[in-house]
Amino acid sequence: MTESADAIIIGGGIHGASLAFQLARRGLKPLVLERRFVAAGATGRSSGLVRMHYDLEPESALAWASYRIFRNWGEIVGGECGFTRTGFLQIVPPEANDVLRANVGMHQKLGIPSLVITADDVRRLAPSFRTDDFELAAFEPESGYADPTGSAAAFLAAARSAGARLVQEARVTAITTSGGRVTGVETEDERYAAPIVVNAAGAWAAEVGRMAGLELPITTWRHDTAFLRRPPDLGPSHPTVIDFTHLMYFRPETGGLTLIGLEDGNPLGVSPDTGGDQAQPNFVDRAVERICRRMPGMERGSLHSAIAGYDGLTPDQRAILDQAGPDGFYLECGFSGTGFKIAPAVGACMAEWIVDGKPRTVDISGFGLNRFAEGRRLTGEHAYGEIWIQ
Ligand SMILES: Cc1cc2nc3c(=O)[nH]c(=O)nc-3n(C[C@H](O)[C@H](O)[C@H](O)COP(=O)(O)OP(=O)(O)OC[C@H]3O[C@@H](n4cnc5c(N)ncnc54)[C@H](O)[C@@H]3O)c2cc1C
């Protein structure tokens, strides 16, 4: 027998979960199909940074609208998202000072708490940091990080209590259509009918797109992270940081740990099904060398763990949010290694699009699929350049 739903969401990561929550609270009965388990993809490996500093205004607007959900999670969603306020610093090399100032101005116009501070200010905020190789940083006092797996689980728990259904170990193998409209999907074991199907399949989004006859310009992006034990004399915590000077980001983690990821050396095109989840052999050495440039005291730290994850990456390293291919087929994918922090607002926008015919929370019209065929790339007015460097 074919089961039916109001909408089928392919993928039980943070985006599938956020959309299921938003659809269910609008009275729909969505069905989430997940090939493994909730947060088995990028979400379960995500570093969870929650900051609003982007050079593209709609991304900052999405992050800011999402931030308000992270901060008021208990009332809006229920359960826990693990938001931890640490303050966020965006450190840039001196040649990017003007770009930094312009972007902070853009953030302030959106209402985001952000200001430009000097290297001396950073030294006071983070005494363990070396501060003689940059002049200015952006500071977001309210930002920090959250727990991606916990957030996805909480979104799905709330969605299910409002009528959504989640089926795990259900790999979608085909999308069915009739007269140019989606009619549902097939998994290895079942058929499901729905007038709406959403591709929220992360690093597998290109494969799912092909099931609907679409060639999506999404490759896979593999990203290693390491947790290092911090020497206790470096203090109980430190700000969350994106450090363009040294091509890395880092943040504190409970238990006296510091989490590090690098902006370079993230291989493209590796299959998440065969590439494994061990960090690359030289990654830990590179991460330790890099963090010691900013926090010299980390020379006395030690390795806790290192792991790899995968996300879908587009040519301009920005998401695809669209309705494309057969009628009723939606794209919420291509998050390019930065999609956790915007997931709450993206889910709201996509639900508004599906239910009301138009997103309202944020103008997401720039994230359409056609930009690639038309040779356009989404770039900020004051661009830093691509975050992920080969
Ligand atoms: C190591 C790492 C660190 C990151 N750090 C940050 C960060 O600090 N801040 C930030 O904002 N972003 C970060 N990101 C990016 C962010 O985590 C991702 O953009 C986001 O989690 C993507 O969520 P998603 O739901 O689109 O994809 P996923 O979480 O990958 O979920 C997609 C799901 O679809 C399922 N699926 C695939 N194919 C099928 C199928 N055929 N049938 C059924 N199910 C299917 C998969 O099993 C998977 O669970 C990071 C990513 C990685 C990998």
Short mmCIF file of all heavy atoms in Angstrom, two decimals, residues 53-76:
data_model
loop_
_atom_site.label_atom_id
_atom_site.label_comp_id
_atom_site.label_asym_id
_atom_site.label_seq_id
_atom_site.Cartn_x
_atom_site.Cartn_y
_atom_site.Cartn_z
N HIS A 53 28.25 37.13 10.78
CA HIS A 53 29.22 37.82 9.92
C HIS A 53 29.37 37.09 8.59
O HIS A 53 30.04 36.05 8.51
CB HIS A 53 30.57 37.93 10.61
CG HIS A 53 31.46 38.94 9.94
ND1 HIS A 53 31.68 40.19 10.45
CD2 HIS A 53 32.14 38.90 8.77
CE1 HIS A 53 32.47 40.88 9.64
NE2 HIS A 53 32.77 40.11 8.61
N TYR A 54 28.71 37.60 7.58
CA TYR A 54 28.87 37.15 6.19
C TYR A 54 29.14 38.40 5.37
O TYR A 54 28.81 39.52 5.80
CB TYR A 54 27.58 36.52 5.67
CG TYR A 54 27.34 35.08 6.05
CD1 TYR A 54 26.60 34.76 7.18
CD2 TYR A 54 27.82 34.04 5.26
CE1 TYR A 54 26.36 33.43 7.52
CE2 TYR A 54 27.57 32.72 5.59
CZ TYR A 54 26.85 32.43 6.72
OH TYR A 54 26.60 31.12 7.04
N ASP A 55 29.65 38.22 4.15
CA ASP A 55 29.78 39.39 3.27
C ASP A 55 28.60 39.50 2.31
O ASP A 55 28.51 40.42 1.51
CB ASP A 55 31.12 39.40 2.51
CG ASP A 55 31.32 38.18 1.63
OD1 ASP A 55 30.36 37.40 1.43
OD2 ASP A 55 32.45 37.99 1.12
N LEU A 56 27.65 38.56 2.40
CA LEU A 56 26.46 38.58 1.54
C LEU A 56 25.24 38.89 2.42
O LEU A 56 24.92 38.12 3.34
CB LEU A 56 26.29 37.22 0.86
CG LEU A 56 25.15 37.14 -0.15
CD1 LEU A 56 25.51 37.90 -1.44
CD2 LEU A 56 24.84 35.69 -0.50
N GLU A 57 24.57 39.99 2.13
CA GLU A 57 23.50 40.46 3.02
C GLU A 57 22.42 39.41 3.29
O GLU A 57 22.01 39.22 4.44
CB GLU A 57 22.90 41.76 2.46
CG GLU A 57 21.92 42.38 3.42
CD GLU A 57 21.49 43.78 3.01
OE1 GLU A 57 22.26 44.48 2.33
OE2 GLU A 57 20.36 44.14 3.38
N PRO A 58 21.88 38.71 2.27
CA PRO A 58 20.82 37.74 2.57
C PRO A 58 21.30 36.61 3.51
O PRO A 58 20.50 36.08 4.29
CB PRO A 58 20.45 37.15 1.20
CG PRO A 58 20.93 38.16 0.20
CD PRO A 58 22.12 38.82 0.81
N GLU A 59 22.59 36.25 3.45
CA GLU A 59 23.08 35.23 4.39
C GLU A 59 23.12 35.77 5.81
O GLU A 59 22.75 35.08 6.77
CB GLU A 59 24.46 34.72 3.96
CG GLU A 59 24.36 33.75 2.79
CD GLU A 59 25.69 33.16 2.39
OE1 GLU A 59 26.69 33.90 2.33
OE2 GLU A 59 25.74 31.96 2.10
N SER A 60 23.56 37.03 5.95
CA SER A 60 23.54 37.63 7.29
C SER A 60 22.10 37.74 7.79
O SER A 60 21.83 37.50 8.98
CB SER A 60 24.18 39.03 7.26
OG SER A 60 25.56 38.92 7.03
N ALA A 61 21.17 38.09 6.89
CA ALA A 61 19.77 38.22 7.29
C ALA A 61 19.21 36.86 7.71
O ALA A 61 18.47 36.75 8.71
CB ALA A 61 18.95 38.81 6.14
N LEU A 62 19.58 35.79 6.97
CA LEU A 62 19.12 34.44 7.36
C LEU A 62 19.73 34.04 8.71
O LEU A 62 19.05 33.45 9.56
CB LEU A 62 19.53 33.42 6.29
CG LEU A 62 18.69 33.42 5.00
CD1 LEU A 62 19.38 32.59 3.91
CD2 LEU A 62 17.27 32.89 5.25
N ALA A 63 21.01 34.35 8.89
CA ALA A 63 21.67 33.98 10.16
C ALA A 63 21.06 34.75 11.32
O ALA A 63 20.88 34.20 12.42
CB ALA A 63 23.17 34.25 10.05
N TRP A 64 20.70 36.01 11.09
CA TRP A 64 20.15 36.83 12.14
C TRP A 64 18.73 36.36 12.51
O TRP A 64 18.38 36.25 13.68
CB TRP A 64 20.17 38.28 11.68
CG TRP A 64 19.66 39.35 12.61
CD1 TRP A 64 18.89 40.41 12.24
CD2 TRP A 64 19.90 39.50 14.02
NE1 TRP A 64 18.64 41.21 13.33
CE2 TRP A 64 19.24 40.67 14.44
CE3 TRP A 64 20.60 38.76 14.96
CZ2 TRP A 64 19.25 41.12 15.76
CZ3 TRP A 64 20.61 39.20 16.29
CH2 TRP A 64 19.94 40.36 16.67
N ALA A 65 17.93 36.04 11.49
CA ALA A 65 16.58 35.52 11.76
C ALA A 65 16.69 34.17 12.47
O ALA A 65 15.88 33.84 13.34
CB ALA A 65 15.80 35.38 10.46
N SER A 66 17.70 33.38 12.11
CA SER A 66 17.90 32.07 12.77
C SER A 66 18.36 32.25 14.21
O SER A 66 17.96 31.50 15.11
CB SER A 66 18.95 31.26 12.01
OG SER A 66 18.52 30.99 10.70
N TYR A 67 19.23 33.24 14.41
CA TYR A 67 19.78 33.48 15.74
C TYR A 67 18.66 33.67 16.76
O TYR A 67 18.71 33.16 17.88
CB TYR A 67 20.68 34.72 15.69
CG TYR A 67 21.18 35.13 17.04
CD1 TYR A 67 22.29 34.50 17.60
CD2 TYR A 67 20.53 36.12 17.78
CE1 TYR A 67 22.73 34.85 18.86
CE2 TYR A 67 20.97 36.47 19.03
CZ TYR A 67 22.07 35.84 19.57
OH TYR A 67 22.48 36.18 20.83
N ARG A 68 17.62 34.40 16.33
CA ARG A 68 16.53 34.67 17.28
C ARG A 68 15.81 33.38 17.65
O ARG A 68 15.26 33.26 18.74
CB ARG A 68 15.60 35.74 16.71
CG ARG A 68 16.25 37.11 16.88
CD ARG A 68 15.54 38.19 16.13
NE ARG A 68 15.88 38.15 14.72
CZ ARG A 68 15.50 39.04 13.84
NH1 ARG A 68 14.74 40.03 14.19
NH2 ARG A 68 15.87 38.93 12.57
N ILE A 69 15.83 32.39 16.75
CA ILE A 69 15.24 31.08 17.10
C ILE A 69 16.20 30.32 18.03
O ILE A 69 15.78 29.76 19.04
CB ILE A 69 14.91 30.29 15.81
CG1 ILE A 69 13.85 31.06 15.01
CG2 ILE A 69 14.42 28.86 16.16
CD1 ILE A 69 13.42 30.43 13.70
N PHE A 70 17.51 30.34 17.72
CA PHE A 70 18.46 29.67 18.63
C PHE A 70 18.36 30.22 20.04
O PHE A 70 18.39 29.49 21.02
CB PHE A 70 19.90 29.84 18.12
CG PHE A 70 20.26 28.97 16.93
CD1 PHE A 70 20.65 29.53 15.73
CD2 PHE A 70 20.21 27.58 17.03
CE1 PHE A 70 20.98 28.73 14.63
CE2 PHE A 70 20.54 26.78 15.94
CZ PHE A 70 20.93 27.35 14.75
N ARG A 71 18.25 31.58 20.14
CA ARG A 71 18.25 32.20 21.47
C ARG A 71 16.95 31.95 22.24
O ARG A 71 16.91 32.02 23.45
CB ARG A 71 18.47 33.71 21.37
CG ARG A 71 19.89 34.20 21.28
CD ARG A 71 20.87 33.49 22.16
NE ARG A 71 20.74 33.66 23.59
CZ ARG A 71 21.43 34.50 24.32
NH1 ARG A 71 22.28 35.32 23.79
NH2 ARG A 71 21.29 34.54 25.63
N ASN A 72 15.86 31.72 21.51
CA ASN A 72 14.55 31.53 22.18
C ASN A 72 14.02 30.14 21.88
O ASN A 72 12.83 29.94 21.68
CB ASN A 72 13.56 32.60 21.69
CG ASN A 72 14.08 34.00 21.97
OD1 ASN A 72 14.19 34.39 23.12
ND2 ASN A 72 14.45 34.72 20.93
N TRP A 73 14.95 29.19 21.81
CA TRP A 73 14.63 27.84 21.34
C TRP A 73 13.53 27.18 22.17
O TRP A 73 12.60 26.57 21.64
CB TRP A 73 15.90 26.99 21.38
CG TRP A 73 15.79 25.70 20.66
CD1 TRP A 73 15.35 24.51 21.16
CD2 TRP A 73 16.11 25.46 19.28
NE1 TRP A 73 15.39 23.54 20.18
CE2 TRP A 73 15.85 24.10 19.02
CE3 TRP A 73 16.59 26.27 18.24
CZ2 TRP A 73 16.06 23.53 17.77
CZ3 TRP A 73 16.81 25.69 17.01
CH2 TRP A 73 16.53 24.33 16.78
N GLY A 74 13.66 27.29 23.50
CA GLY A 74 12.70 26.62 24.38
C GLY A 74 11.27 27.03 24.09
O GLY A 74 10.37 26.19 24.02
N GLU A 75 11.04 28.35 23.91
CA GLU A 75 9.67 28.83 23.65
C GLU A 75 9.22 28.52 22.23
O GLU A 75 8.07 28.19 22.00
CB GLU A 75 9.55 30.35 23.84
CG GLU A 75 9.86 30.87 25.22
CD GLU A 75 11.29 31.37 25.31
OE1 GLU A 75 11.51 32.54 25.03
OE2 GLU A 75 12.18 30.57 25.68
N ILE A 76 10.12 28.65 21.26
CA ILE A 76 9.69 28.53 19.86
C ILE A 76 9.62 27.06 19.43
O ILE A 76 8.67 26.64 18.77
CB ILE A 76 10.63 29.33 18.92
CG1 ILE A 76 10.59 30.81 19.28
CG2 ILE A 76 10.25 29.12 17.44
CD1 ILE A 76 11.62 31.66 18.54
#
